[in-house]
Amino acid sequence: MPDAFTTRTLNVATGTRERVVDITDDCENFLAEVAAGRDGLLNVFVPHATCGIAVIETGAGSDDDLLAALHTLLPSDDRWQHRHGSPGHGRDHVLPAIVPPHATLPVIAGHLELGTWQSVCLVDTNVDNPNRQVRLSFMS
């Protein structure tokens, strides 16, 4: 029987612009290798202080809408007390309070049990850090 708990780290290049990166296929590929048709939970976690995980629709503009909403809520100007890095970088450190650094998702028969239009996404507004890690953990 496969392990009851398995984890893997993905390396995701987000580049030097704000991004919403769909990692649903990476999650499904991980589950295809480790879940062996079992039910359980997938935990997706980013060990970074300036990005988060969102479950949203992508491809129809919602990812751009999310970034626009974050600009409204967290403008990249000089109001932030945390001031190192690029201008407005302090807002990136507030982002995980709005877009949490984790999501726990149901796995049924070895597959993510998402809604029709839902995708698992890394949300990264920090243009100073072009490479991210995402930790995937499956518990049966």
Side-chain angles (χ1 to χ4, degrees), residues 9-22:
T9 301
L10 301 174
N11 293 305
V12 180
T14 55
T16 56
R17 64 182 176 90
E18 296 179 2
R19 302 259 325 262
V20 175
V21 180
D22 187 339

Side-chain angles (χ1 to χ4, degrees), residues 17-30:
R17 64 182 176 90
E18 296 179 2
R19 302 259 325 262
V20 175
V21 180
D22 187 339
I23 59 169
T24 308
D25 287 343
D26 295 305
C27 294
E28 284 286 5
N29 291 338
F30 169 68

Side-chain angles (χ1 to χ4, degrees), residues 89-113:
H89 173 66
R91 76 172 186 128
D92 298 326
H93 288 274
V94 177
L95 174 78
I98 296 168
V99 181
H102 59 87
T104 300
L105 306 166
V107 176
I108 306 298
H111 296 281
L112 276 176
E113 191 67 17

Side-chain angles (χ1 to χ4, degrees), residues 47-79:
H48 300 285
T50 58
C51 57
I53 297 294
V55 178
I56 63 169
E57 177 182 3
T58 59
S62 297
D63 34 1
D64 291 331
D65 290 342
L66 174 58
L67 292 175
L70 290 172
H71 270 280
T72 300
L73 292 170
L74 304 171
S76 56
D77 57 23
D78 64 356
R79 74 183 68 199

Side-chain angles (χ1 to χ4, degrees), residues 99-133:
V99 181
H102 59 87
T104 300
L105 306 166
V107 176
I108 306 298
H111 296 281
L112 276 176
E113 191 67 17
L114 296 174
T116 302
W117 303 111
Q118 290 180 318
S119 296
V120 182
C121 298
L122 170 67
V123 180
D124 189 0
T125 59
N126 182 356
V127 299
D128 296 332
N129 191 345
N131 298 298
R132 297 302 191 158
Q133 293 183 328

